[in-house]
């Protein structure tokens, strides 16, 4: 009995049936026996332009959307894309992936190249993008100095993010959306597609388990936590245009937007709409999302 219990620890328990989305058993056993290798960070992407008049931000995005300057479909990338736009930094977008990033994660930014040394500039990781935006953008944005910000950032980093990860990566109802965003642009090989799907789902599962400190994932608990987080954000925003009474939107506004916009995105074929329904319970957060859209992309849809 105890061995059965131990063997079931850290397994995903969900109220939804996983169905066909589960990786085939032979392939799963292969991954366990021969773990996938982790390679060192790559050099800069081969297709990075030799001469850059403006900074280039590398994010998860389709070629078509990058050419139009549209929002990234990844919250981490969209956060910094939005912040740089709020700061007034002029930049172009390039589609990329984590393995192509020098730091192993997106986004990263390449500054404008120097005329005599086009490839001399080092990439700027996301951890330094706030300072870059403050230094190079004409807009005077507020720094995240409110003592309350850390607590609310924690809500986004854990409760909201956990629910996002479950909804997109682990909910069977959204398997098609996950595939269209992260798998279809990468490969048509059935084996590689199965491998990438397994990697994405497994990484999301481990991140949620680590964040919650539990041995299994309970979707109802995740959604309850997300609703409480959005309720708290709605309260602190109140009837102000921007968070913490700021006269202009800052990094925290961009962070909230990076989730609310993607959750409410009408272009996404959400099968599981639980998060969408939760955010719509808070009209002031919806209005905040629309204000950011109008400010950065001149649209509200």
């Amino acid at each position: 009995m105890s061995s059965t219990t131990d063997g079931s620890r850290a397994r995903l328990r969900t109220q939804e049936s996983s169905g066909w989305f589960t990786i085939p058993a032979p392939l799963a056993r292969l991954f366990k026996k021969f773990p996938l290798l982790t390679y060192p960070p790559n050099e800069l992407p081969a297709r990075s332009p030799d001469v850059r008049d403006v900074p280039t931000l590398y994010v998860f995005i389709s070629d078509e959307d990058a050419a139009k300057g549209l929002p990234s479909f990844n919250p981490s990338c969209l956060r910094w894309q939005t912040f740089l736009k709020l700061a007034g930094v002029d930049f172009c977008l390039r589609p990329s992936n984590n393995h192509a990033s020098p730091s192993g994660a997106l986004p990263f930014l390449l500054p404008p190249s120097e005329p005599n040394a086009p490839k001399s500039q080092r990439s700027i990781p996301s951890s330094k993008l706030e300072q870059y935006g403050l230094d190079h953008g004409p807009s005077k944005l507020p720094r995240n100095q409110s003592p309350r910000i850390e607590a609310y950032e924690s809500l986004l980093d854990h409760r909201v993010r956990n629910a996002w990860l479950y909804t997109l990566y682990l909910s069977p109802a959204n398997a098609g959306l996950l595939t269209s965003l992260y798998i279809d642009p990468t490969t048509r090989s059935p084996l590689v597609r199965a491998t990438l799907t397994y990697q994405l789902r497994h990484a999301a599962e481990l991140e949620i388990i680590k964040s919650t400190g539990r041995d299994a994932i309970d979707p109802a608990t995740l959604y309850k936590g997300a609703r409480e987080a959005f309720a708290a954000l709605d309260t602190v925003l109140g009837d102000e245009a921007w968070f913490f009474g700021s006269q202009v939107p800052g990094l925290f506004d961009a962070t909230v937007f990076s989730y609310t916009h993607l959750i409410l995105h009408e272009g996404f074929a959400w099968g599981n709409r639980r998060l969408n329904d939760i955010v719509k319970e808070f009209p002031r957060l919806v209005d905040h999302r629309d204000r950011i859209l109008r400010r950065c992309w001149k649209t509200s849809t």
Side-chain angles (χ1 to χ4, degrees), residues 216-239:
I217 295 174
D218 178 19
T221 299
L222 296 181
Y223 288 126
K224 180 176 182 291
R227 177 178 283 106
E228 293 172 349
F230 283 122
L233 292 169
D234 177 77
T235 298
V236 74
L237 176 63
D239 295 325

Side-chain angles (χ1 to χ4, degrees), residues 133-144:
L134 294 174
D135 291 343
H136 294 81
S139 301
K140 301 301 180 183
L141 300 187
R143 291 180 179 270
N144 284 352

Side-chain angles (χ1 to χ4, degrees), residues 20 54 66 74 108 120 217 235 244 256:
W20 60 268
V54 297
N74 178 275
F108 71 92
S120 63
I217 295 174
T235 298
F244 306 110
V256 174

Side-chain angles (χ1 to χ4, degrees), residues 44-292:
L44 292 177
R47 61 174 174 173
S48 59
D50 288 340
V51 178
R52 301 179 302 277
D53 295 328
V54 297
T56 304
L57 185 67
Y58 289 80
V59 298
F60 285 109
I61 195 171
S62 68
D63 290 326
E64 181 180 358
D65 286 354
K68 297 178 180 178
L70 296 179
S72 166
F73 56 75
N74 178 275
S76 298
C77 292
L78 181 55
R79 177 195 189 197
W80 293 110
Q81 181 186 1
T82 304
F83 176 75
L84 291 176
K85 289 181 75 70
L86 291 174
V89 176
D90 185 18
F91 63 93
C92 65
L93 292 174
R94 292 274 181 170
S96 191
N97 56 64
N98 285 335
H99 187 62
S101 168
S103 67
L106 293 180
F108 71 92
L109 182 139
L110 289 184
S113 57
E114 298 178 1
N116 297 326
K119 293 189 175 182
S120 63
Q121 296 285 61
R122 292 186 177 182
S123 63
I124 300 173
S126 60
S127 61
K128 297 183 179 180
L129 286 178
E130 180 180 12
Q131 191 60 53
Y132 184 90
L134 294 174
D135 291 343
H136 294 81
S139 301
K140 301 301 180 183
L141 300 187
R143 291 180 179 270
N144 284 352
Q145 295 179 333
S146 171
R148 298 184 295 166
I149 285 183
E150 185 174 349
Y152 289 101
E153 284 180 337
S154 179
L155 293 177
L156 291 165
D157 292 341
H158 296 283
R159 295 193 180 193
V160 172
R161 180 167 175 76
N162 288 342
W164 167 266
L165 289 174
Y166 173 78
T167 300
L168 179 58
Y169 293 87
L170 299 179
S171 175
N174 289 327
L177 178 58
L178 176 66
T179 299
S180 67
L181 293 178
Y182 287 99
I183 307 301
D184 287 345
T186 305
T187 180
R188 295 183 179 180
S189 166
L191 179 60
V192 177
R193 290 168 68 89
T195 301
L196 292 177
T197 300
Y198 171 82
Q199 288 179 311
L200 290 172
R201 286 173 51 85
H202 185 60
E205 180 180 347
L206 290 180
E207 185 170 340
I208 295 173
I209 289 174
K210 180 180 179 181
S211 175
T212 60
R214 299 175 179 269
D215 295 329
I217 295 174
D218 178 19
T221 299
L222 296 181
Y223 288 126
K224 180 176 182 291
R227 177 178 283 106
E228 293 172 349
F230 283 122
L233 292 169
D234 177 77
T235 298
V236 74
L237 176 63
D239 295 325
E240 300 287 344
W242 313 116
F243 279 95
F244 306 110
S246 175
Q247 296 301 307
V248 293
L251 179 56
F252 189 82
D253 294 275
T255 305
V256 174
F257 171 81
S258 69
Y259 284 104
T260 56
H261 172 64
L262 295 178
I263 291 170
L264 296 172
H265 199 319
E266 294 300 330
F268 286 175
W270 290 112
N272 174 353
R273 301 183 63 86
R274 289 284 298 280
L275 268 184
N276 184 284
D277 293 339
I278 290 172
V279 173
K280 287 182 177 179
E281 293 178 16
F282 306 100
R284 291 185 295 197
L285 293 182
V286 176
D287 290 343
H288 175 269
R289 174 255 192 172
D290 291 342
R291 281 193 292 273
I292 295 286

